[in-house]
Amino acid sequence: MTPKPARKPLVAGNWKMHNNHFEAIALTQKLAFTLVDKDFSAADIAVLPPFTDLRSVQTLIEGDRLQLLWGAQDVSAHEDGAYTGEVSARMLAKLGCRFVLAGHSERRQYHHEDDALINTKVKRILERAMTPVLCVGEPLEVRQAGGYLELVLEQLDGGLDGLNAAQVAGLVVAYEPVWAIGTGEVATPQDAQEVCHAVRRRISAVHGDATAATARILYGGSVKADNMPAIMAEPDIDGALVGGASLDPGEFVGICRYRDQSTPANQR
Ligand code: 13P
């Protein structure tokens, strides 16, 4: 399999339901003041604000020619029409979104999203030339019972159903064990690597080694500046989907600069 450096790391901040559009501008500006060219050549860095912030974030980033990327946390499975409260992929593409999350565990849990619905969302995102970030991950009881690889691979197969190799090669999968989200309970780098490796092997089995070598696989769940280097030292982990820590500009920049910390991750 192609060595890891072929894949550009991605650090994406999922702001969840935090920050109104004024606060979003302030946070984006703080990131812009701190991040430098070197940071952007080392990794793709993205923010994923709530829908209501997207236009403000887009205007700021484009106006100031910042290198930050941005995207959305969800999208409607419908193209257009009488779906009150929904936001379509066409609208998100028009706002310059590069990434869109699909199947975040909070959507699966609180909005009962299943793999078939998530698969439709992935297709909507691809139709509009944006990059899906398919989120997978097991709840605590499944981890404890031991069936986590099976569940994650089922979520992966369901989410990617019907996609061709070129589509899969360009997308992002985020492994986020539910028990590690917002709990401070970070998965060990070895736990995260085991699942990310299994995801890559499954992509390879379905779409071939070249596709698996290109798709980016992220880890998410209580990522902080101090645990990021060890996570990034694992061969199948290409970046992080960051929740709480992405709301703190200093912490988020620290995560993006994981190479600067003195750990084996510096060698990548
Ligand atoms: P935390 O980093 O707050 O654990 O959240 C992870 C997450 O859900 C990112 O999508």
Side-chain angles (χ1 to χ4, degrees):
M1 205 168 275
T2 310
K4 188 174 179 181
R7 298 185 292 270
K8 190 172 186 188
L10 167 63
V11 181
N14 174 11
W15 294 1
K16 308 194 178 184
M17 198 172 71
H18 295 285
N19 292 328
N20 62 38
H21 70 288
F22 291 115
E23 294 158 344
I25 290 170
L27 176 51
T28 306
Q29 272 168 335
K30 283 184 192 146
L31 293 176
F33 290 147
T34 320
L35 292 165
V36 295
D37 285 353
K38 186 168 160 265
D39 297 313
F40 291 107
S41 18
D44 284 341
I45 303 173
V47 293
L48 309 173
F51 290 136
T52 52
D53 300 354
L54 282 170
R55 179 64 177 154
S56 305
V57 168
Q58 176 194 25
T59 305
L60 174 62
I61 292 177
E62 287 181 349
D64 288 358
R65 297 176 191 275
L66 307 176
Q67 296 179 67
L68 267 174
L69 304 169
W70 66 97
Q73 301 169 16
D74 188 29
V75 65
S76 176
H78 303 285
E79 282 179 74
D80 260 318
Y83 300 102
T84 301
E86 297 273 278
V87 174
S88 73
R90 191 173 71 90
M91 297 167 183
L92 296 178
K94 198 72 182 165
L95 286 164
C97 288
R98 165 85 172 269
F99 300 102
V100 184
L101 300 186
H104 191 280
S105 63
E106 287 150 17
R107 302 291 315 171
R108 294 179 190 260
Q109 189 177 350
Y110 305 132
H111 302 272
H112 311 292
E113 295 195 4
D114 61 14
D115 291 330
L117 178 79
I118 293 161
N119 178 243
T120 308
K121 293 187 177 198
V122 166
K123 289 173 177 163
R124 292 285 99 86
I125 297 163
L126 287 167
E127 279 162 15
R128 296 290 166 182
M130 298 178 290
T131 301
V133 179
L134 173 67
C135 303
V136 296
E138 81 285 357
L140 181 61
E141 51 291 4
V142 175
R143 164 67 52 170
Q144 286 169 337
Y148 54 95
L149 286 180
E150 289 76 7
L151 179 72
V152 166
L153 294 178
E154 188 183 313
Q155 292 172 336
L156 182 78
D157 291 343
L160 302 186
D161 189 40
L163 270 55
N164 62 37
Q167 290 172 321
V168 175
L171 60 66
V172 180
V173 177
Y175 169 56
E176 300 203 305
V178 178
W179 47 273
I181 295 180
T183 58
E185 181 91 24
V186 63
T188 66
Q190 295 72 29
D191 286 340
Q193 163 62 18
E194 180 193 22
V195 179
C196 292
H197 181 65
V199 166
R200 198 176 304 283
R201 281 189 51 181
R202 177 60 65 97
I203 293 175
S204 170
V206 179
H207 293 288
D209 276 0
T211 302
T214 314
R216 290 188 285 189
I217 304 177
L218 312 183
Y219 168 77
S222 299
V223 173
K224 305 266 182 319
D226 63 358
N227 56 33
M228 181 72 171
I231 292 167
M232 289 304 290
E234 296 296 335
D236 284 296
I237 304 177
D238 304 317
L241 185 54
V242 185
S246 70
L247 302 172
D248 176 337
E251 190 69 27
F252 189 64
V253 170
I255 292 170
C256 296
R257 292 186 179 153
Y258 65 90
R259 284 187 183 78
D260 298 349
Q261 298 179 48
S262 54
T263 78
N266 288 347
Q267 291 150 22
R268 293 187 39 216

